């Protein structure tokens, strides 16, 4: 309440604080890896963010293999996590980095399978084409894809939350046992990059969910001319922002609702439940597409 009305300038205050804080080194640390890690983390987040099409024709990078590129660039963040822990010469940071790396690598599999669902249903790996296939009455993938798309969307939310190290999957930053986690020894903008990357990953995951399953910038059309005309007057970037904020609200709700999981529970959820469920869903959906059936 002290930083503007309702504390709306708290983010600005935090940024200024991190910009002016001293950046100190750590004795007996690997200076090169210690310095490199924050840059790898922020590069992965910003690089993935650049693939989000926030309006028709408004996207920084729009490759014909966009889904593949998103998966490849986002995996660079794992290197930032593991190198930050190893380069810090701190046992708590190393344990945190190992937890974070194994969690992120595991849940990338389910994330990739969820995006393959959209590729099969839309017939393209280009994100703009995936949105284009969802324009029209009742064309959002979560609607026209029926049960497989709904299952993929729900698994995408869970896996994406774990990939971003957000609660209840924030075991790598468990304050009660690992202080601040893999970025314990960082200060100033070194810590600021990790902090920014975490919330940017939240936006990226929510934006990808909105793009792939909720039509991205495509408006909600239901086949009634008057209603559809009003919906089409709303700019595409407003639709994209609203859908992204909706998914962020759901993920934030989950963060403050469920308790933190143990590392064995996190890996059990992925390897015994989410990945087999997604493989089965993908197999059934592929067979239905090949046979011209719908679920």
């Amino acid at each position: 309440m002290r930083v503007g009305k309702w504390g709306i300038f708290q983010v600005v205050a935090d940024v200024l604080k991190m910009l002016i804080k001293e950046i100190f080194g750590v004795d007996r640390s690997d200076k090169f890896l210690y310095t490199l890690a924050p840059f790898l983390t922020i590069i992965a987040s910003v690089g993935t963010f650049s693939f989000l099409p926030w309006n028709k024709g408004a996207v920084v990078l729009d490759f014909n293999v966009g889904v593949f590129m998103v998966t490849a660039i986002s995996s660079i963040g794992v290197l930032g996590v593991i190198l930050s822990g190893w380069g810090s010469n701190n046992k708590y940071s190393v344990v945190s980095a190992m937890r974070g790396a194994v969690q992120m690598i595991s849940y990338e599999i389910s994330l990739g399978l969820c995006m393959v669902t959209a590729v099969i249903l839309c017939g393209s790996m280009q994100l703009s084409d995936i949105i284009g296939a969802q324009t029209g009455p009742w064309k959002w993938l979560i609607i026209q894809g029926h049960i497989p798309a709904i299952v993929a969307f729900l698994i995408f939310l869970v896996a994406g939350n774990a990939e971003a190290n957000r609660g209840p999957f924030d075991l790598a930053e468990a304050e009660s046992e690992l202080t601040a986690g893999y970025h314990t020894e960082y200060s100033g903008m070194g810590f600021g990059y990790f902090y920014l990357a975490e919330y940017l990953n939240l936006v990226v995951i929510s934006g990808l969910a909105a793009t792939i399953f909720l039509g991205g910038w495509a408006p909600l059309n239901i086949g009634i001319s008057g209603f559809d005309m009003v919906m089409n007057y709303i700019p595409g970037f407003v639709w994209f922002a609203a859908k992204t904020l909706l998914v962020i609200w759901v993920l934030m709700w989950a963060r403050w609702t469920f308790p933190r999981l143990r590392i064995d529970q996190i890996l059990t959820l992925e390897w015994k439940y989410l990945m087999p469920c997604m493989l089965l869903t993908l197999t059934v959906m592929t067979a239905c597409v090949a046979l011209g059936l719908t679920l």
Side-chain angles (χ1 to χ4, degrees):
M1 300 301 293
R2 301 187 181 189
V3 191
K5 190 174 180 59
W6 303 308
I8 57 176
F9 295 115
Q10 184 63 53
V11 175
V12 179
D14 287 339
V15 171
L16 292 176
K17 179 189 71 173
M18 283 186 281
L19 284 173
I20 63 177
K21 285 186 71 173
E22 179 185 1
I23 299 177
F24 57 84
V26 181
D27 292 339
R28 295 192 297 271
S29 66
D30 190 315
K31 304 297 183 183
F32 176 72
L33 298 182
Y34 177 82
T35 306
L36 178 64
F39 292 98
L40 291 178
T41 303
I42 198 66
I43 285 172
S45 301
V46 174
T48 311
F49 184 81
S50 63
F51 282 90
L52 295 180
W54 49 274
N55 204 349
K56 186 175 183 180
V59 57
V60 178
L61 299 172
D62 189 23
F63 295 155
N64 59 348
V65 288
V67 171
F68 174 78
M69 290 296 296
V70 164
T71 307
I73 294 178
S74 64
S75 63
I76 299 176
V78 182
L79 295 176
V81 170
I82 195 69
L83 292 183
S84 64
W86 182 260
S88 295
N89 190 32
N90 182 311
K91 59 184 178 182
Y92 297 110
S93 297
V94 172
V95 173
S96 171
M98 292 173 63
R99 285 183 177 181
V102 71
Q103 174 181 317
M104 294 171 72
I105 291 173
S106 299
Y107 279 88
E108 277 180 355
I109 300 174
S110 291
L111 272 179
L113 293 175
C114 292
M115 289 190 282
V116 169
T117 303
V119 172
I120 294 175
L121 289 174
C122 299
S124 175
M125 295 183 69
Q126 192 166 351
L127 291 176
S128 59
D129 289 345
I130 292 177
I131 297 179
Q134 300 179 69
T135 56
W138 304 113
K139 282 292 187 177
W140 292 1
L141 200 65
I142 199 173
I143 300 175
Q144 66 165 322
H146 304 294
I147 296 177
I150 294 174
V151 173
F153 175 66
L154 295 177
I155 292 179
F156 188 91
L157 292 182
V158 176
N161 212 16
E163 180 73 11
N165 283 325
R166 300 283 298 174
F169 301 96
D170 56 341
L171 196 65
E173 304 170 20
E175 296 88 354
S176 58
E177 37 187 296
L178 297 175
T179 58
Y182 49 86
H183 49 65
T184 299
E185 302 294 349
Y186 286 88
S187 64
M189 281 310 296
F191 168 75
Y193 282 149
F194 286 110
Y195 192 71
L196 174 62
E198 179 180 339
Y199 283 91
L200 191 56
N201 287 337
L202 176 64
V203 176
V204 168
I205 291 298
S206 303
L208 284 175
T211 297
I212 295 174
F213 298 100
L214 302 179
W217 49 260
L220 175 62
N221 294 143
I222 62 175
I224 301 176
S225 58
F227 179 85
D228 292 351
M229 186 180 300
V230 173
M231 294 296 103
N232 292 333
Y233 274 122
I234 302 176
F237 67 88
V238 175
W239 279 106
F240 178 77
K243 296 172 186 177
T244 302
L245 289 174
L246 175 63
V247 178
I248 289 176
W249 178 78
V250 172
L251 296 182
M252 292 293 288
W253 185 18
R255 173 186 174 89
W256 297 110
T257 302
F258 299 103
R260 182 181 292 132
L261 301 177
R262 299 196 312 265
I263 185 63
D264 61 311
Q265 294 172 332
I266 290 177
L267 297 181
T268 298
L269 177 64
E270 164 62 12
W271 292 103
K272 288 188 177 181
Y273 297 101
L274 294 187
M275 190 184 69
C277 180
M278 199 58 233
L279 285 172
L280 178 62
T281 302
L282 194 61
T283 303
V284 173
M285 186 201 64
T286 305
C288 290
V289 170
L291 298 174
L293 304 175
T294 57
L295 291 177

